[in-house]
Amino acid sequence: MTAAIIDGAAIAERMRAEIARDAARFTAQYGTPPGLGAVLAGDNPASAQYVRMKRRACEQVGFTSTAHMLDASSTQEQVDDAIRRLNDDPAVHGILVQLPLPPQIDEERALRLVSLDKDVDGFHPINIGMLGMKGREPLFTPATPTGCMVLLRESGAVLEGANAVVVGRSNIVGLPVALMLMKANATVTVCHSRTRDLPDIVRRADIVIAAIGRAEYIKGSWIKPGATVIDVGTNKIADPNTEKGYRYVGDVEFATAKEAAGAITKVPGGVGPMTITMLLQNTMKAAWRLASA
Ligand code: NDP
């Protein structure tokens, strides 16, 4: 069997076109576009690249974007002040604090400062807490896990009663996606670096979410025939056959997994394009909520 490819790039493009139409309606109605504000502290090149990508994505859909760029030696007060200014700015509807923050900054305190109404990254402890509680709905859910859920739904996977295995338990991917799968009535197993017999656990999964950051670690022989596989991993590996000398692969060994899975995402072109799209979608939702409050 060769799996159907869940085309994150195409799904993200379609959703961004919808968001752009929505943004145009918003701008016509309120005379000002939806706005995203970012706080970036430090000189992590990957973080700077993410913030640039998010700014470009904002421009493409007709949002404004504001960025507070602080250096690696910035103080807690400076980070807090940047967040407060975005909280108070009526032209900013969504705020993202780009993680990781420099070590002297208390991440928990910074995330707590973000106005709940503008928490489009979904990382405010209250939003994460509501995600974990039965009968409660957070205002916003984190971008990458939300993107995984959209891809699952688009693939036609049945979530209710399914055995879902999440490999990885990070605050930004593994944990929230496990909570979202539980809310969708899947039976969820969360695996991590101390998990015993990982291949056996993965073999029982109807749905596999791989988020560990290890190149092609999960093999096709671990995948239950027909399972749906969402590969969040983005690992840079050397490849002298490419122009740049490297390429990106997922946490799943795609070549073997696609022979067993029913549906699978690619890296790149799977979860990656969905992440910023979900952030834009949350910002659009925040803008409508704040404007009608
Ligand atoms: P973290 O490093 O924060 O977490 C990795 C998790 O994987 C941890 O829970 C760790 O366990 C677990 N783990 C590590 N090795 C193993 C192993 N051998 N077996 C089982 N579990 C293991 O990573 P992130 O969650 O931030 O990111 C995961 C991957 O997803 C990365 O490749 C990252 O680049 C990618 N990513 C992609 C995004 C996108 O938009 N496409 C967005 C965010 C991340 P323990 O808790 O015990 O340490």
Side-chain angles (χ1 to χ4, degrees), residues 5-286:
I5 304 298
I6 308 168
D7 188 345
I11 296 166
E13 195 181 313
R14 196 187 70 217
M15 293 184 78
R16 285 192 200 195
E18 281 166 25
I19 294 166
R21 283 193 289 274
D22 216 9
R25 271 196 299 275
F26 182 93
T27 308
Q29 192 167 331
Y30 293 104
T32 173
L36 178 68
V39 176
L40 172 68
D43 44 20
N44 182 334
S47 294
Q49 167 76 356
Y50 292 142
V51 169
R52 271 197 301 277
M53 283 164 66
K54 286 165 188 172
R55 293 186 78 161
R56 214 174 309 130
C58 281
E59 281 163 24
Q60 281 166 1
V61 297
F63 291 5
T64 59
S65 67
T66 320
H68 289 265
M69 315 290 261
L70 307 173
D71 61 38
S73 61
S74 46
T75 61
Q76 183 83 46
E77 284 63 38
Q78 287 170 316
V79 172
D80 291 359
D81 183 57
I83 297 172
R84 280 200 196 93
R85 278 196 279 158
L86 293 173
N87 279 344
D88 294 342
D89 186 344
V92 170
H93 303 97
I95 298 173
L96 76 93
V97 178
Q98 185 64 49
L99 302 177
L101 290 166
Q104 72 276 17
I105 308 296
D106 181 344
E107 179 183 305
E108 162 82 17
R109 177 178 151 150
L111 294 179
R112 232 176 230 287
L113 258 190
V114 174
S115 158
L116 262 183
D117 291 326
K118 298 187 178 184
D119 180 39
V120 292
D121 248 347
F123 289 136
H124 190 293
I126 290 187
N127 273 327
I128 288 286
M130 303 245 254
L131 186 59
M133 291 170 83
K134 197 174 158 100
R136 310 280 167 84
E137 287 300 332
L139 274 176
F140 302 103
T141 54
T144 302
T146 308
C148 294
M149 297 301 287
V150 171
L151 292 177
L152 283 174
R153 296 215 164 87
E154 289 276 336
S155 76
V158 176
L159 303 183
E160 179 145 336
N163 280 336
V165 171
V166 179
V167 194
R169 58 174 165 179
S170 72
N171 288 343
I172 63 165
V173 189
L175 172 81
V177 83
L179 296 174
M180 292 170 98
L181 285 162
M182 210 149 46
K183 265 205 192 307
N185 295 322
T187 303
V188 182
T189 306
V190 181
C191 302
H192 45 77
S193 65
R194 316 301 149 75
T195 297
R196 293 196 201 118
D197 303 326
L198 183 63
D200 281 351
I201 297 172
V202 173
R203 272 186 200 109
R204 291 197 288 270
D206 305 307
I207 289 162
V208 180
I209 311 281
I212 55 177
R214 286 174 176 257
E216 301 186 319
Y217 189 82
I218 295 172
K219 309 297 176 198
S221 59
W222 306 8
I223 304 296
K224 177 175 167 178
T228 303
V229 179
I230 306 290
D231 191 353
V232 185
T234 311
N235 309 291
K236 193 175 178 176
I237 60 162
D239 184 350
N241 296 323
T242 62
E243 204 176 298
K244 291 177 176 167
Y246 64 85
R247 67 191 164 94
Y248 288 95
V249 296
D251 290 342
V252 177
E253 192 178 65
F254 181 79
T256 54
K258 79 174 193 321
E259 299 305 323
I264 189 168
T265 58
K266 274 184 159 176
V267 178
V271 177
M274 295 300 290
T275 296
I276 294 182
T277 306
M278 295 301 106
L279 180 72
L280 296 172
Q281 193 178 56
N282 276 350
T283 305
M284 194 64 246
K285 176 181 169 185

